[in-house]
Amino acid sequence: METDFEVTDNPSQNRYEARVENAIAKIEYTKKEDKIYLTHTEVPQSLAGKGIGSKLISKVLEDIEQKQLKLIPLCSFVASYLQRYPEWNKLVIQDANTE
């Protein structure tokens, strides 16, 4: 089943969110200057197993790229997505000093 949805940046809540089937999937973040730290991904149980989390991450990474931010993936789900799709590693800060 292909579910299409729009992802919006909600800076007042420090998260990207997508409304899908009357539920909200989200990726929480912290921004500091030109860096964005993705800290937590949450997909409601009602949406589990539908690829919503992966699609959400993909759309968030597109937005991060467009905004020319540097990514620090602190969320394990985001980190595992980056392992599966290494082309997105171009956004990740390679420097160990992420302050």
Side-chain angles (χ1 to χ4, degrees):
M1 173 178 116
E2 184 64 23
T3 306
D4 197 28
F5 53 86
E6 186 177 323
V7 174
T8 55
D9 185 359
N10 183 343
S12 66
Q13 297 285 315
N14 290 319
R15 68 186 192 187
Y16 285 94
E17 53 192 31
R19 188 170 298 280
V20 185
E21 298 175 13
N22 297 320
I24 294 179
K26 62 188 176 186
I27 296 181
E28 297 170 356
Y29 64 78
T30 301
K31 280 185 185 171
K32 186 176 179 184
E33 297 163 3
D34 66 341
K35 298 178 183 79
I36 185 164
Y37 301 77
L38 298 183
T39 58
H40 179 69
T41 303
E42 191 172 308
V43 176
Q45 192 63 38
S46 63
L47 301 174
K50 298 181 180 181
I52 302 296
S54 293
K55 192 171 220 181
L56 176 60
I57 291 172
S58 173
K59 291 184 179 211
V60 167
L61 292 175
E62 288 171 12
D63 188 67
I64 289 170
E65 183 175 41
Q66 180 191 8
K67 292 177 178 172
Q68 298 182 326
L69 297 171
K70 295 181 178 112
L71 171 62
I72 298 95
L74 301 179
C75 169
S76 59
F77 190 73
V78 172
S80 67
Y81 181 91
L82 291 169
Q83 286 182 331
R84 289 194 314 271
Y85 301 96
E87 63 270 20
W88 286 111
N89 284 319
K90 64 188 175 191
L91 302 178
V92 178
I93 291 181
Q94 301 302 326
D95 185 347
N97 179 13
T98 57
E99 305 240 351

